[in-house]
Amino acid sequence: MQIQDLPYADPGVPDARSGPRFLWWLFRNQLGGQFKSLAWGLLHFLSVSALPFCVGVAVQAVVDHSGRRLALAGGLLALCCVGNAVGDTFLHRTAVTNWITAAARVQQLLARKAANLGSALTRRVAAGEVVAVSTGDVEKIGWFVEAWSRFTAAAVTIVVVCVGLVVYQPALGVVVAVGLPVLALSVLPLLPRATRRADFQREKAGRATELASDTVAGLRVLRGIGGEELFLDRYRRASQEVRHAAVRSARMWSLIAAIQVLLPGLLLIAVVWYGVHLARQGRVEIGELVAVYSSVMILTYPLRHFEEIAMAYSFSRPSATRAARVLSLERATPADGVATAEVPGDMPSGDLYDPATGLLAPSGRLTAVVCGDPDAAGLLAERLGGHPSEEGISVLLGGVPLDELPLDSARTAVLVQDKDPVLLSGSLRELLDVPASGDVGAVEALAAAQCADVLSALVQGSLDAEDPMDARITERGRSLSGGQRQRLALARSLFTDPEVLVLDEPTSAVDSHTEARIADGVRDLRTGRTTVVFTSSPLLLDRADRVVLVHDGEVAAVGVHRELVHKEPRYRAVVTRETDDEAALNHARHENDVRHEKDGVPHEHDVLHALEEIEESA
């Protein structure tokens, strides 16, 4: 897999049972790139490690006044230099490729999981953690996957060099062969503590990222209540905790690095001392001593990769654990034992029915749903879209369970716009570049959502945009008001024109005059299509063909707005936002009216009205 071939056609199904298993799965899926990196790494490290032998042969040739061996040593040196240059170049190329492709695979997996779970993702995992996984954690995971092949090449090189030294000069080679494994394993006792400190640092960094994400998302609200300084102080404290944790982690890694410098130095001193002793006895030639001495110096380079792989694993393991936790999340499926219908070949259509609450949205009608609990309304809206956050009975569309449909088919049939829709940065044309039926034009959708003033604001804010469709939208539409963002999101949903459109509080940030025009526009544009609107606005409820009151998780009343507002106290309490005292008073008046009607006694309002008519006629 090369960088130019990204993205993957299919990133695969990850082993998300644990962080180490996920890392191993990534490694197995990049065996081709790993073997390439290993091969080039061996060429590079072996070429570097062969230089001391060539120098030793050259020195001994000078001592022995052998021109032929000196020329041979020069040729070998040139060959090693070429191997070093070629190996290093392509090792870097393949290593970076492995890093980027591994990171890209993880990002594709996360993007696919986010698309699969929808808004249920941020309810099951903190938004800040998702951001941390898809940014910093992805890089650390790619680092470990990339570093493994280089570490393997370095380890093989050290083994080969030790064997070569024992064969080349047994007396000194045994010292090196015994000392190098001690050097490589000397930092093992420190690794658990270093790993714990790295985990603690990553945990603190993740909490700081979550706090920053939440603060940015709620910045408008914080400014309204004057809470910027409070959250700023919290983030400062979180940042200081991250800094302290990073310093403690860095101290441990600096100690490991110091040991990796100190011990090779001690080994070098031991080799030189013992080699000089052997040279005085005539058991070692000058060229052999130079070769062994130079080899020990050169081997400190591949030894560094032992420290790197330990550091890479320490940082990538918690990152892989967080990524595996996100990737292990699954869509909620129907509860066991629930009978399901056979899925037809064509896209299902018909009435939308939720067996859990008894909510029925007739096909081709505008149904308004009133629910006193906004959170419960949001959960019900998502369940109607076929992607609930909890297991339960599946919603039926035309008798077909949505949970049994392929995800793309379910979302093509039913589109859910939640109460806080996201606008991505880009032009208005790009915002409306979404899968659509083609029956509704962009101009019609924008007009129905009453976006005329929004288009004017976008054009004024974009210097080079003459066509409103080319006007730029800032990140998450932060330059727009809440009502403007809401209307653009509604226009996007109307432009998509799905078989069933579910809108959760689509006009909560819009003034009443605009809301009335939006209600008419949505009703006219969605004629013949199934539309479900979660709202408590009388303007929208009055335009609905059917109004459903959901109370305590089940349908409590069905009718039209004008009928329910007089006959159903619970409905009236939600729609008119009356207090408990007002509700009790209205209930008492209603019972009094009913009693007077039964007794045939005129109601006081009727008497007053009759007296007013008599006075006017007189």
Side-chain angles (χ1 to χ4, degrees):
M1 186 69 178
Q2 299 299 318
I3 296 177
Q4 60 265 25
D5 298 327
L6 294 174
Y8 288 95
D10 180 13
V13 180
D15 186 349
R17 289 176 290 178
S18 66
R21 288 178 181 272
F22 180 60
L23 290 174
W24 174 241
W25 178 83
L26 282 175
F27 178 82
R28 288 190 291 107
N29 278 271
Q30 289 190 302
L31 286 180
Q34 295 292 340
F35 282 127
K36 288 181 182 179
S37 183
L38 176 61
W40 292 117
L42 287 173
L43 176 62
H44 170 59
F45 287 122
L46 291 175
S47 297
V48 171
S49 301
L51 290 174
F53 293 95
C54 299
V55 172
V57 172
V59 170
Q60 192 61 42
V62 172
V63 173
D64 296 338
H65 303 287
S66 174
R68 185 179 61 82
R69 282 190 294 166
L70 183 60
L72 176 62
L76 291 175
L77 279 171
L79 184 62
C80 289
C81 289
V82 172
N84 179 22
V86 174
D88 189 23
T89 300
F90 284 94
L91 171 62
H92 178 74
R93 180 183 181 90
T94 54
V96 171
T97 299
N98 288 338
W99 189 335
I100 293 177
T101 52
R105 186 187 295 273
V106 178
Q107 286 180 325
Q108 280 189 249
L109 291 171
L110 292 171
R112 186 175 67 181
K113 181 60 64 175
N116 183 280
L117 294 176
S119 58
L121 174 63
T122 53
R123 287 203 308 273
R124 301 168 70 176
V125 180
E129 183 171 354
V130 177
V131 173
V133 171
S134 59
T135 53
D137 287 340
V138 166
E139 294 185 3
K140 290 177 175 57
I141 293 171
W143 177 26
F144 175 76
V145 174
E146 171 268 327
W148 182 257
S149 56
R150 289 191 289 112
F151 162 73
T152 305
V156 172
T157 299
I158 290 175
V159 173
V160 171
V161 171
C162 289
V163 173
L165 285 175
V166 172
V167 174
Y168 178 69
Q169 175 36 250
L172 291 175
V174 171
V175 176
V176 177
V178 172
L180 283 177
V182 174
L183 296 181
L185 301 177
S186 61
V187 297
L188 284 182
L190 299 176
L191 287 181
R193 182 176 298 180
T195 302
R196 287 194 298 270
R197 291 190 179 186
D199 291 350
F200 185 73
Q201 177 194 350
R202 294 301 304 161
E203 178 184 352
K204 291 294 184 181
R207 291 178 60 185
T209 302
E210 292 177 17
L211 182 59
S213 176
D214 294 341
T215 302
V216 172
L219 189 58
R220 185 183 296 271
V221 177
L222 291 175
R223 286 175 176 171
I225 63 176
E228 304 102 314
E229 288 299 326
L230 174 62
F231 274 78
L232 182 59
D233 289 340
R234 289 183 182 178
Y235 183 72
R236 283 172 178 161
R237 290 195 297 269
S239 298
Q240 290 302 313
E241 291 178 359
V242 174
R243 184 179 67 84
H244 290 309
V247 170
R248 294 184 70 249
S249 179
R251 286 174 180 169
M252 184 57 64
W253 287 112
S254 63
L255 176 60
I256 293 175
I259 293 175
Q260 290 289 305
V261 173
L262 175 63
L263 294 184
L266 295 176
L267 177 61
L268 188 61
I269 293 173
V271 169
V272 171
W273 178 84
Y274 187 56
V276 171
H277 176 70
L278 294 177
R280 286 178 177 177
Q281 296 178 352
R283 297 169 58 186
V284 174
E285 295 181 348
I286 299 300
E288 293 175 337
L289 179 59
V290 171
V292 175
Y293 168 79
S294 302
S295 295
V296 174
M297 291 192 64
I298 290 294
L299 285 178
T300 57
Y301 170 54
L303 275 174
R304 285 287 183 180
H305 290 77
F306 285 77
E307 175 190 349
E308 182 192 8
I309 195 65
M311 183 180 293
Y313 180 73
S314 297
F315 280 92
S316 65
R317 187 178 60 82
S319 297
T321 300
R322 276 192 294 270
R325 183 165 58 247
V326 174
L327 295 174
S328 63
L329 300 175
E330 297 293 342
R331 287 181 67 199
T333 55
D336 295 336
V338 177
T340 55
E342 295 185 359
V343 181
D346 299 331
M347 188 71 66
S349 60
D351 297 343
L352 184 68
Y353 177 66
D354 178 27
T357 59
L359 173 63
L360 174 66
S363 176
R365 306 280 295 279
L366 173 59
T367 302
V369 180
V370 175
C371 186
D373 185 357
D375 293 334
L379 293 175
L380 178 55
E382 290 176 357
R383 191 161 69 248
L384 292 179
H387 39 91
S389 57
E390 299 176 354
E391 293 186 0
I393 303 175
S394 174
V395 171
L396 306 178
L397 178 59
V400 178
L402 284 180
D403 286 341
E404 292 188 359
L405 291 176
L407 186 60
D408 55 348
S409 299
R411 292 187 175 172
T412 299
V414 183
L415 174 65
V416 179
Q417 177 184 307
D418 59 25
K419 59 171 59 81
D420 187 22
V422 176
L423 301 180
L424 301 179
S425 59
S427 66
L428 182 58
R429 194 184 309 278
E430 293 170 340
L431 177 70
L432 298 178
D433 185 16
V434 293
S437 66
D439 295 334
V440 177
V443 176
E444 297 175 89
L446 291 168
Q450 301 299 310
C451 292
D453 64 316
V454 184
L455 299 182
S456 300
L458 288 175
V459 171
Q460 292 176 0
S462 301
L463 299 177
D464 301 330
E466 297 181 0
D467 187 348
M469 297 298 292
D470 295 326
R472 302 292 299 177
I473 301 173
T474 57
E475 181 185 3
R476 299 179 67 90
R478 298 192 189 280
S479 61
L480 302 174
S481 67
Q484 290 174 328
R485 290 198 303 271
Q486 213 169 45
R487 281 178 282 165
L488 281 180
L490 176 60
R492 179 177 58 188
S493 300
L494 294 174
F495 175 73
T496 303
D497 190 35
E499 179 68 25
V500 178
L501 177 60
V502 180
L503 304 172
D504 188 5
E505 295 289 352
T507 59
S508 58
V510 177
D511 64 85
S512 58
H513 298 286
T514 305
E515 186 177 32
R517 294 194 294 269
I518 290 176
D520 293 331
V522 171
R523 180 181 177 86
D524 294 341
L525 196 63
R526 293 289 299 173
T527 300
R529 295 283 200 179
T530 306
T531 307
V532 181
V533 182
F534 286 81
T535 183
S536 59
S537 168
L539 293 172
L540 286 174
L541 295 171
D542 196 41
R543 267 74 168 182
D545 299 318
R546 193 168 184 264
V547 178
V548 179
L549 172 65
V550 177
H551 183 73
D552 290 339
E554 60 183 17
V555 173
V558 180
V560 294
H561 170 62
R562 297 178 183 272
E563 174 186 344
L564 292 176
V565 79
H566 288 94
K567 294 185 177 180
E568 179 55 56
R570 292 171 295 185
Y571 177 84
R572 183 171 58 250
V574 176
V575 174
T576 63
R577 297 171 177 80
E578 64 183 7
T579 63
D580 294 339
D581 293 338
E582 292 173 339
L585 179 61
N586 289 330
H587 181 66
R589 287 177 176 175
H590 177 70
E591 290 184 347
N592 187 51
D593 292 344
V594 172
R595 185 172 62 254
H596 280 295
E597 289 176 2
K598 289 182 178 180
D599 296 339
V601 180
H603 190 266
E604 58 180 346
H605 292 94
D606 297 332
V607 175
L608 291 175
H609 183 66
L611 291 175
E612 290 176 355
E613 290 183 348
I614 294 172
E615 291 178 358
E616 290 178 358
S617 61

